[in-house]
């Protein structure tokens, strides 16, 4: 039975395999074959950079991971409080696990749109959009967003905001604004620059880093 904590690498020259403990950071690692002495590089969780720009981007990503790893270790050493932390392994909304009752506008109209997060190994998750401004970004306790995504290292800490408001005609509109484009922000596969504002419609696709959302209409319930 394979150990999930063990990484197996193969020498490109003599094809000898050697085992090592999986590193805590996704990066390109250098190994030396114990049989023939060949030194070779192995990408772990990342693509091997082919250009100077790709190498610089990877270096920034590695430094970011190192910082986050140091922060996690510091948090683990910090004294624990008696207050339990509500934690969702994928999305935390306002400190609580997603999946509660959809919020209401004054007048009893249900929010007509929700974000549906597509997850690779887990069922899709619906996230209600509340009236007013909702920020979305990578999970960061120091700079929290209203909707925080855990595990996507390519998403900015405060990536975008979506403003939900009623128009004078009584219709609900959803306006997206890009807050940070250090990491990619795409609407319907088109890259958006910092400060860009886009009105969202039912079925629109939003990609922040490697995380994909779709805007889905919620049918209002009749009383």
């Amino acid at each position: 039975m394979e150990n999930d904590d063990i990484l197996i690498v193969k020498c490109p020259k003599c094809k000898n395999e050697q085992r090592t403990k999986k590193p805590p950071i996704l990066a390109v690692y250098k190994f030396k074959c114990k049989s023939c002495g060949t030194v070779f590089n192995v990408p772990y969780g990342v693509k091997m950079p082919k250009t100077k720009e790709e190498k610089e981007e990877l270096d920034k990503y590695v430094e970011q991971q190192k910082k986050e790893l140091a922060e996690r270790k510091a948090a683990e050493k910090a004294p624990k409080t008696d207050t339990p932390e509500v934690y969702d392994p994928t999305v935390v909304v306002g400190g609580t696990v997603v999946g509660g009752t959809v919020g209401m506008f004054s007048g009893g109209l249900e929010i007509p749109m929700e974000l549906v997060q597509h997850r690779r190994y887990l069922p899709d998750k619906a996230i209600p959009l509340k009236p007013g401004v909702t920020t979305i970004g990578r999970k960061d306790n120091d700079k929290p967003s209203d909707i925080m995504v855990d595990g996507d290292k390519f998403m900015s800490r405060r990536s975008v905001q979506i403003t939900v408001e009623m128009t004078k005609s009584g219709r609900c509109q959803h306006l997206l604004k890009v807050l940070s484009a250090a990491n990619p922000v795409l609407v319907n596969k088109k890259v958006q620059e910092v400060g860009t504002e886009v009105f969202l419609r039912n079925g629109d696709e939003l990609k922040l880093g490697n995380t994909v959302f779709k805007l889905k209409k919620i049918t209002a319930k009749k009383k």
Side-chain angles (χ1 to χ4, degrees), residues 123-143:
D124 291 349
K125 176 166 285 188
I127 308 168
L129 289 172
K130 298 179 180 180
V133 178
T134 298
T135 55
I136 307 173
R138 186 175 76 248
K139 186 181 180 186
D140 187 326
N141 294 327
D142 294 329
K143 296 181 180 180

Side-chain angles (χ1 to χ4, degrees), residues 57-195:
E57 184 178 351
L58 180 59
D59 288 342
K60 290 179 182 178
Y61 180 40
V62 170
E63 288 303 315
Q64 178 182 307
Q65 291 182 86
K66 288 180 179 179
K67 181 180 178 181
E68 292 175 351
L69 181 61
E71 290 174 351
R72 287 198 298 271
K73 288 183 177 180
E76 289 172 359
K77 293 180 180 180
K80 297 181 179 180
T81 63
D82 295 332
T83 305
E85 180 183 3
V86 179
Y87 175 73
D88 184 309
T90 301
V91 178
V92 178
V93 178
T96 59
V97 177
V98 173
T101 305
V102 177
M104 297 284 183
F105 284 111
S106 57
L109 293 176
E110 288 188 341
I111 298 175
M113 294 284 186
E114 64 184 1
L115 280 177
V116 178
Q117 181 194 3
H118 294 280
R119 301 190 291 181
R120 187 172 180 181
Y121 299 110
L122 296 172
D124 291 349
K125 176 166 285 188
I127 308 168
L129 289 172
K130 298 179 180 180
V133 178
T134 298
T135 55
I136 307 173
R138 186 175 76 248
K139 186 181 180 186
D140 187 326
N141 294 327
D142 294 329
K143 296 181 180 180
S145 297
D146 298 309
I147 297 176
M148 295 191 287
V149 177
D150 190 15
D152 189 343
K153 306 298 184 182
F154 291 99
M155 184 187 298
S156 298
R157 289 177 175 83
R158 293 177 72 84
S159 185
V160 300
Q161 69 178 35
I162 297 177
T163 302
V164 181
E165 60 183 5
M166 279 290 198
T167 64
K168 292 181 180 180
S169 61
R171 301 185 65 182
C172 181
Q173 65 183 17
H174 299 69
L175 179 63
L176 177 140
K177 182 176 182 180
V178 180
L179 303 177
S180 174
N183 292 301
V185 174
L186 290 85
V187 176
N188 295 328
K189 299 182 180 180
K190 293 182 179 179
V191 177
Q192 307 297 320
E193 302 295 334
V194 173

